[in-house]
mmCIF file of all heavy atoms in Angstrom:
data_model
loop_
_atom_site.group_PDB
_atom_site.id
_atom_site.type_symbol
_atom_site.label_atom_id
_atom_site.label_comp_id
_atom_site.label_asym_id
_atom_site.label_seq_id
_atom_site.Cartn_x
_atom_site.Cartn_y
_atom_site.Cartn_z
ATOM 1 N N LEU A 843 3.955 15.142 -21.276
ATOM 2 C CA LEU A 843 3.806 15.186 -19.839
ATOM 3 C C LEU A 843 2.490 15.864 -19.400
ATOM 4 O O LEU A 843 1.992 15.535 -18.356
ATOM 5 C CB LEU A 843 5.024 16.022 -19.306
ATOM 6 C CG LEU A 843 6.376 15.396 -19.536
ATOM 7 C CD1 LEU A 843 7.432 16.292 -18.875
ATOM 8 C CD2 LEU A 843 6.472 14.001 -19.078
ATOM 9 N N HIS A 844 1.982 16.720 -20.219
ATOM 10 C CA HIS A 844 0.644 17.378 -19.836
ATOM 11 C C HIS A 844 -0.453 16.370 -19.934
ATOM 12 O O HIS A 844 -1.615 16.729 -19.448
ATOM 13 C CB HIS A 844 0.448 18.529 -20.818
ATOM 14 C CG HIS A 844 0.310 18.119 -22.237
ATOM 15 N ND1 HIS A 844 1.249 17.544 -22.918
ATOM 16 C CD2 HIS A 844 -0.673 18.267 -23.165
ATOM 17 C CE1 HIS A 844 0.886 17.256 -24.167
ATOM 18 N NE2 HIS A 844 -0.284 17.762 -24.324
ATOM 19 N N LYS A 845 -0.275 15.203 -20.451
ATOM 20 C CA LYS A 845 -1.401 14.181 -20.475
ATOM 21 C C LYS A 845 -1.266 13.137 -19.453
ATOM 22 O O LYS A 845 -2.119 12.252 -19.396
ATOM 23 C CB LYS A 845 -1.376 13.558 -21.907
ATOM 24 C CG LYS A 845 -1.680 14.438 -23.089
ATOM 25 C CD LYS A 845 -1.673 13.688 -24.355
ATOM 26 C CE LYS A 845 -2.052 14.620 -25.507
ATOM 27 N NZ LYS A 845 -2.028 13.907 -26.795
ATOM 28 N N ARG A 846 -0.283 13.311 -18.554
ATOM 29 C CA ARG A 846 -0.204 12.294 -17.368
ATOM 30 C C ARG A 846 -1.380 12.557 -16.468
ATOM 31 O O ARG A 846 -2.040 13.628 -16.424
ATOM 32 C CB ARG A 846 1.104 12.532 -16.676
ATOM 33 C CG ARG A 846 2.300 11.989 -17.512
ATOM 34 C CD ARG A 846 3.551 12.005 -16.697
ATOM 35 N NE ARG A 846 4.721 11.445 -17.471
ATOM 36 C CZ ARG A 846 5.878 11.200 -16.928
ATOM 37 N NH1 ARG A 846 6.153 11.461 -15.645
ATOM 38 N NH2 ARG A 846 6.886 10.765 -17.629
ATOM 39 N N TYR A 847 -1.566 11.593 -15.561
ATOM 40 C CA TYR A 847 -2.772 11.628 -14.772
ATOM 41 C C TYR A 847 -2.772 12.912 -13.846
ATOM 42 O O TYR A 847 -3.774 13.689 -13.927
ATOM 43 C CB TYR A 847 -2.805 10.395 -13.787
ATOM 44 C CG TYR A 847 -3.944 10.431 -12.854
ATOM 45 C CD1 TYR A 847 -5.236 9.999 -13.259
ATOM 46 C CD2 TYR A 847 -3.786 10.903 -11.525
ATOM 47 C CE1 TYR A 847 -6.273 10.069 -12.326
ATOM 48 C CE2 TYR A 847 -4.903 10.910 -10.653
ATOM 49 C CZ TYR A 847 -6.135 10.481 -11.086
ATOM 50 O OH TYR A 847 -7.159 10.558 -10.202
ATOM 51 N N LEU A 848 -1.668 13.180 -13.162
ATOM 52 C CA LEU A 848 -1.707 14.361 -12.256
ATOM 53 C C LEU A 848 -1.748 15.667 -12.996
ATOM 54 O O LEU A 848 -2.504 16.567 -12.716
ATOM 55 C CB LEU A 848 -0.515 14.276 -11.286
ATOM 56 C CG LEU A 848 -0.417 15.327 -10.270
ATOM 57 C CD1 LEU A 848 -1.699 15.307 -9.343
ATOM 58 C CD2 LEU A 848 0.795 15.163 -9.383
ATOM 59 N N THR A 849 -0.877 15.775 -14.016
ATOM 60 C CA THR A 849 -0.847 17.037 -14.750
ATOM 61 C C THR A 849 -2.113 17.397 -15.440
ATOM 62 O O THR A 849 -2.475 18.509 -15.553
ATOM 63 C CB THR A 849 0.345 17.016 -15.748
ATOM 64 O OG1 THR A 849 0.230 15.871 -16.580
ATOM 65 C CG2 THR A 849 1.678 16.943 -14.970
ATOM 66 N N SER A 850 -2.760 16.351 -15.971
ATOM 67 C CA SER A 850 -3.991 16.564 -16.738
ATOM 68 C C SER A 850 -5.124 16.960 -15.847
ATOM 69 O O SER A 850 -6.220 17.391 -16.317
ATOM 70 C CB SER A 850 -4.316 15.260 -17.569
ATOM 71 O OG SER A 850 -4.669 14.216 -16.738
ATOM 72 N N HIS A 851 -5.087 16.753 -14.553
ATOM 73 C CA HIS A 851 -6.149 17.058 -13.696
ATOM 74 C C HIS A 851 -5.940 18.463 -13.028
ATOM 75 O O HIS A 851 -6.671 18.800 -12.050
ATOM 76 C CB HIS A 851 -6.260 16.029 -12.563
ATOM 77 C CG HIS A 851 -6.987 14.830 -13.091
ATOM 78 N ND1 HIS A 851 -6.351 13.867 -13.980
ATOM 79 C CD2 HIS A 851 -8.231 14.317 -12.908
ATOM 80 C CE1 HIS A 851 -7.216 12.851 -14.241
ATOM 81 N NE2 HIS A 851 -8.373 13.117 -13.677
ATOM 82 N N ARG A 852 -4.941 19.190 -13.454
ATOM 83 C CA ARG A 852 -4.675 20.515 -12.905
ATOM 84 C C ARG A 852 -5.340 21.508 -13.840
ATOM 85 O O ARG A 852 -5.470 21.337 -15.039
ATOM 86 C CB ARG A 852 -3.147 20.842 -12.804
ATOM 87 C CG ARG A 852 -2.419 20.098 -11.891
ATOM 88 C CD ARG A 852 -0.921 20.424 -11.945
ATOM 89 N NE ARG A 852 -0.059 19.656 -11.049
ATOM 90 C CZ ARG A 852 1.166 19.269 -11.300
ATOM 91 N NH1 ARG A 852 1.730 19.543 -12.480
ATOM 92 N NH2 ARG A 852 1.774 18.578 -10.464
ATOM 93 N N PRO A 853 -5.771 22.668 -13.245
ATOM 94 C CA PRO A 853 -6.353 23.744 -14.190
ATOM 95 C C PRO A 853 -5.303 24.145 -15.253
ATOM 96 O O PRO A 853 -5.704 24.420 -16.342
ATOM 97 C CB PRO A 853 -6.678 24.864 -13.208
ATOM 98 C CG PRO A 853 -6.872 24.210 -11.837
ATOM 99 C CD PRO A 853 -5.914 23.060 -11.833
ATOM 100 N N VAL A 854 -4.007 24.263 -14.837
ATOM 101 C CA VAL A 854 -2.983 24.518 -15.785
ATOM 102 C C VAL A 854 -1.872 23.386 -15.549
ATOM 103 O O VAL A 854 -1.503 23.238 -14.357
ATOM 104 C CB VAL A 854 -2.266 25.841 -15.545
ATOM 105 C CG1 VAL A 854 -1.140 26.089 -16.572
ATOM 106 C CG2 VAL A 854 -3.352 26.958 -15.679
ATOM 107 N N TRP A 855 -1.538 22.641 -16.538
ATOM 108 C CA TRP A 855 -0.824 21.341 -16.308
ATOM 109 C C TRP A 855 0.507 21.568 -15.586
ATOM 110 O O TRP A 855 0.950 20.650 -14.910
ATOM 111 C CB TRP A 855 -0.673 20.618 -17.645
ATOM 112 C CG TRP A 855 0.376 21.153 -18.587
ATOM 113 C CD1 TRP A 855 0.159 22.130 -19.523
ATOM 114 C CD2 TRP A 855 1.805 20.865 -18.657
ATOM 115 N NE1 TRP A 855 1.302 22.411 -20.194
ATOM 116 C CE2 TRP A 855 2.346 21.612 -19.725
ATOM 117 C CE3 TRP A 855 2.580 20.004 -17.949
ATOM 118 C CZ2 TRP A 855 3.703 21.560 -20.024
ATOM 119 C CZ3 TRP A 855 3.934 19.935 -18.254
ATOM 120 C CH2 TRP A 855 4.494 20.623 -19.333
ATOM 121 N N TYR A 856 1.164 22.699 -15.737
ATOM 122 C CA TYR A 856 2.447 22.916 -15.146
ATOM 123 C C TYR A 856 2.421 23.643 -13.865
ATOM 124 O O TYR A 856 3.492 23.929 -13.274
ATOM 125 C CB TYR A 856 3.370 23.585 -16.196
ATOM 126 C CG TYR A 856 2.777 24.915 -16.760
ATOM 127 C CD1 TYR A 856 2.775 26.104 -16.000
ATOM 128 C CD2 TYR A 856 2.216 24.978 -18.032
ATOM 129 C CE1 TYR A 856 2.236 27.251 -16.505
ATOM 130 C CE2 TYR A 856 1.683 26.103 -18.507
ATOM 131 C CZ TYR A 856 1.642 27.240 -17.800
ATOM 132 O OH TYR A 856 1.128 28.472 -18.270
#
Side-chain angles (χ1 to χ4, degrees):
L843 299 183
H844 61 301
K845 294 183 179 180
R846 291 189 176 184
Y847 178 81
L848 184 59
T849 54
S850 65
H851 283 74
R852 293 177 182 145
V854 180
W855 74 270
Y856 52 78

